[in-house]
Amino acid sequence: MIVKKEKLRAYLDEHQLTIAQFAAKLNVKKSEVENMLSGQAVGYDTAKKFIYFMKADKAQDFIDWKAINKKNPLSADDYLEEVCKKK
């Protein structure tokens, strides 16, 4: 998973969280949060914990779907596009 680093940075600032505090909330290594903030991909475990913490409806806005070359499975627009293609 790759997150929109600017959006995550704004979230941390808004909630007055340090990288270490956010890592503790996710129960991941500080380096994993640093990777997210530098635009690097993180592994399945970190992604799962991030989505669980943020809740899927909010997490989807933080995930950089273009960067991972995937469509957002929770996006109504993407869902409608797929349905229309099948008809």
Side-chain angles (χ1 to χ4, degrees):
M1 175 184 82
I2 299 174
V3 299
K4 297 173 184 171
K5 57 187 179 183
E6 297 85 8
K7 190 167 183 111
L8 181 57
R9 172 53 66 196
Y11 176 87
L12 295 180
D13 291 345
E14 180 182 328
H15 291 88
Q16 299 178 345
L17 292 169
T18 65
I19 292 170
Q21 290 169 326
F22 190 63
K25 287 186 177 291
L26 296 183
N27 193 25
V28 299
K29 293 180 181 177
K30 184 179 167 188
S31 61
E32 287 291 277
V33 176
E34 290 168 341
N35 286 344
M36 284 192 263
L37 289 169
S38 68
Q40 296 179 48
V42 294
Y44 176 81
D45 187 56
T46 299
K48 183 172 84 170
K49 289 177 179 181
F50 178 84
I51 293 168
Y52 181 80
F53 174 80
M54 297 295 264
K55 307 298 183 229
D57 61 331
K58 189 172 183 179
Q60 69 176 330
D61 294 329
F62 284 84
I63 297 170
D64 191 341
W65 297 101
K66 264 188 182 171
I68 60 175
N69 201 28
K70 301 282 182 193
K71 288 189 181 242
N72 179 350
L74 301 177
S75 169
D77 292 338
D78 288 345
Y79 174 77
L80 290 174
E81 185 179 312
E82 287 298 315
V83 169
C84 290
K85 281 182 184 178
K86 292 179 181 179
K87 290 185 177 188

